[in-house]
Amino acid sequence: MEGQDEVSAREQHFHSQVRESTICFLLFAVLYVVSYFIITRYKRKSDEQEDEDAVVNRISLCLSTFTLAVSAGAVLLLPFSIVSNEILLSFPHNYYIQWLNGSLIHGLWNLASLFSNLCLFVLMPFAFFFLESEGFAGLKKGIRARILETLVMLILLALLILGIVWVASALIDNDAASMESLYDLWEFYLPYLYSCISLMGCLLLLLCTPVGLSRMFTVMGRLLVKPTILEDLDEQIYIITLEEEALQRRLNGLSSSVEYNIMELEQELENVKTLKTKLERRKKASAWERNLVYPAVMVLLLIETFISVLLVACNILCLLVDETAMPKGTRGPGIGNASLSAFGFVGAALEIILIFYLMVSSVVGFYSLRFFGNFIPKKDDTTMTKIIGNCVSILVLSSALPVMSRTLGITRFDLLGDFGRFNWLGNFYIVLSYNLLFAIVTTLCLVRKFTSAVREELFKALGLHKLHLSEAPRDSEASKPSANGHHKAL
């Protein structure tokens, strides 16, 4: 009987492993297909030649797609775990959800950590060096020569990074135990390196997320139809149509020798057509869309931002009085044993909404920063080098998202796998400073956003606008004249 029980246990373990592997593969396949369509939408079509460079571009495209799929998996990791915990808590003995268990969740976290390391340290550097390689001088040109050069560059880069990490770790913690552990590549080196990368990702999120939270109002304002208050859209469309016809006549009357004037007029005509399209869209929009959707979305964004700052403030108080609020050092009851929120499934849904909102805001804030403004992809006109840069940036942000969400107290779900082993997560002063900086910077960005128009008018009233004490608005619409030729004012 004992032998039969042991065989039965082995069979169950084998079937569970096969089932979990199949689920992971199907989930990743869906993410890979979606990522492929996203990248091909922005990839420059002129890169599709039928030669050696075409093969290199295809390989780089596959690696970039793989990285973007891993990034999407890292973003969905925490929401999927929260939903799974609530489902298992609500239906503990349901036969149809037996595949959703703690083993599957732990496996997904471990795979996300493994693939994030693989993409960040191997695949993306290989794709970049492979794309830029030409082969060593004296060797026969071809794919093999480019692969050889890429591998040599990867080895040199690995030695450089490992050397920097060795020196940094020796300077920070200079004792015999740490020096001996430095020679253990797999158990210490790579986790320590990924811990440094995660800290850099969290610092980048600390910089991007507050900026994105304030920029979300501007972005949604461009996507939605604003209410028409004291505006005559028919008159504006009529004026812009006359301007379009005048530019078209001027363009037809110029000779082909005046190339500069033709290019300038074509650009101006394109801007006029874009503005006309926006005005026509505003005119065709229904009264519900103009007067209800836009205010509702703005109020919703304001509520989500307020709740995020409020949760961070509560987490700061919890850190000061309760040690269990630290993201490292405490372990919860486990998956499916207790709800993570006092409000049950509603609280879990709110946490998921806030996590996605913070991720979208961080991406918006990332592309809003002047240093990363050139990284913005353009439809059908983005080079593979820029695609690789975008994939690496999104991977760093998405890998740090679960850590930031747990550090800020947005969720109480314990970090699993290598995500919960970062040394800096157990440092009280780092975690507290991170929460304080996030709350302060977010508040300052929001205050600056909502008082910018008032400050501009005050500077104009006091005659200080000529001194350029306040920055001009970065929005393109704020500096353009309206359709009737008058500049927008408060």
Side-chain angles (χ1 to χ4, degrees), residues 75-311:
V75 172
L76 298 174
L77 193 60
L78 194 56
F80 181 78
S81 302
I82 295 174
V83 170
S84 301
N85 181 75
E86 297 300 325
I87 291 177
L88 291 175
L89 189 63
S90 302
F91 309 99
H93 304 294
N94 194 313
Y95 173 77
Y96 296 101
I97 61 171
Q98 292 300 315
W99 58 271
L100 194 62
N101 49 37
S103 177
L104 175 63
I105 304 301
H106 282 271
L108 290 175
W109 281 77
N110 291 328
L111 287 177
S113 176
L114 175 63
F115 287 156
S116 297
N117 282 281
L118 180 65
C119 294
L120 192 60
F121 299 125
V122 179
L123 298 185
M124 285 293 93
F126 178 85
F128 176 76
F129 290 131
F130 190 46
L131 196 65
E132 299 295 329
S133 64
E134 296 180 356
F136 291 112
L139 295 179
K140 183 179 179 181
K141 301 297 181 181
I143 298 296
R144 292 184 179 180
R146 300 180 71 162
I147 292 177
L148 178 61
E149 181 183 353
T150 303
L151 293 178
V152 172
M153 293 297 296
L154 282 178
I155 294 173
L156 295 177
L157 180 64
L159 293 176
L160 177 63
I161 294 177
L162 292 178
I164 293 175
V165 173
W166 191 89
V167 173
S169 178
L171 291 176
I172 295 174
D173 190 11
N174 189 15
D175 58 353
S178 63
M179 294 294 292
E180 290 179 1
S181 63
L182 282 174
Y183 297 101
D184 193 346
L185 178 65
W186 187 259
E187 294 294 332
F188 180 83
Y189 239 134
L190 293 181
Y192 183 82
L193 181 59
Y194 190 59
S195 177
C196 296
I197 297 296
S198 71
L199 179 59
M200 293 175 57
C202 288
L203 293 178
L204 184 60
L205 282 176
L206 181 62
L207 179 65
C208 297
T209 308
V211 177
L213 289 174
S214 61
R215 290 280 296 173
M216 283 293 292
F217 296 91
T218 303
V219 173
M220 296 306 297
R222 292 176 181 176
L223 297 177
L224 300 176
V225 178
K226 298 180 181 180
T228 55
I229 302 176
L230 301 178
E231 285 186 285
D232 190 352
L233 293 179
D234 293 328
E235 180 184 357
Q236 294 184 19
I237 293 175
Y238 176 72
I239 294 173
I240 206 71
T241 303
L242 294 178
E243 186 177 353
E244 180 185 2
E245 294 175 354
L247 288 174
Q248 191 67 49
R249 285 194 298 268
R250 288 179 59 189
L251 191 61
N252 295 333
L254 289 178
S255 61
S256 59
S257 59
V258 192
E259 183 177 355
Y260 177 76
N261 290 336
I262 290 178
M263 293 177 60
E264 185 177 357
L265 286 176
E266 286 179 350
Q267 182 64 33
E268 187 175 355
L269 181 60
E270 187 67 26
N271 296 334
V272 170
K273 288 181 178 180
T274 303
L275 182 58
K276 182 181 178 181
T277 303
K278 293 181 179 179
L279 291 174
E280 290 177 347
R281 180 174 179 267
R282 292 182 61 186
K283 182 181 178 181
K284 293 178 181 178
S286 62
W288 289 95
E289 184 180 358
R290 289 196 305 265
N291 303 322
L292 183 62
V293 176
Y294 180 82
V297 171
M298 292 295 119
V299 171
L300 183 61
L301 291 178
L302 188 61
I303 292 175
E304 290 179 345
T305 306
F306 175 76
I307 293 176
S308 301
V309 177
L310 182 62
L311 288 177

Side-chain angles (χ1 to χ4, degrees), residues 84 104 127 139 153 315 355 363 380 421 426 450 464 473:
S84 301
L104 175 63
L139 295 179
M153 293 297 296
N315 189 56
I355 290 172
V363 174
D380 297 331
R421 299 175 186 173
F450 291 114
L464 300 177

